[in-house]
Amino acid sequence: MGKKLSTYYSEKGKGKCEIHVDMKQEMFYIKYYDNNDRRFFTEDFESKTLRYVEDAAENWTLGIKKLEGYE
């Protein structure tokens, strides 16, 4: 199980996402939630920096990053 590092909220009212770190596997991942706080997708970021994952989370909340099959 990972540790939550931060939460990003969508400006367009489509939900939120949380950045987590899996200390055992040394990997970051993002959990995506809809407006009803139901998780609908988890994205792993193997070999990526925290800054990279933060940018991905922010881009999703701004509507720049699209999740294939979930938009």
Side-chain angles (χ1 to χ4, degrees):
M1 196 69 185
K3 177 182 176 183
K4 182 170 73 168
L5 300 178
S6 57
T7 304
Y8 291 77
Y9 295 91
S10 170
E11 294 179 356
K12 298 184 181 194
K14 64 180 174 184
K16 67 179 182 181
C17 62
E18 298 175 343
I19 296 176
H20 292 253
V21 61
D22 183 327
M23 302 297 261
K24 191 173 188 178
Q25 294 186 1
E26 299 177 352
M27 171 183 79
F28 296 105
Y29 57 97
I30 299 177
K31 292 181 179 180
Y32 297 90
Y33 296 86
D34 65 15
N35 283 331
N36 296 315
D37 231 18
R38 287 185 290 234
R39 184 174 50 179
F40 66 88
F41 188 65
T42 301
E43 184 176 18
D44 295 335
F45 291 87
E46 292 184 41
S47 304
K48 299 295 183 187
T49 65
L50 176 57
R51 182 68 194 147
Y52 182 95
V53 179
E54 289 171 334
D55 285 346
E58 183 176 3
N59 287 340
W60 179 79
T61 62
L62 295 173
I64 298 167
K65 176 180 172 58
K66 306 294 183 199
L67 301 175
E68 190 172 322
Y70 293 99
E71 297 298 323

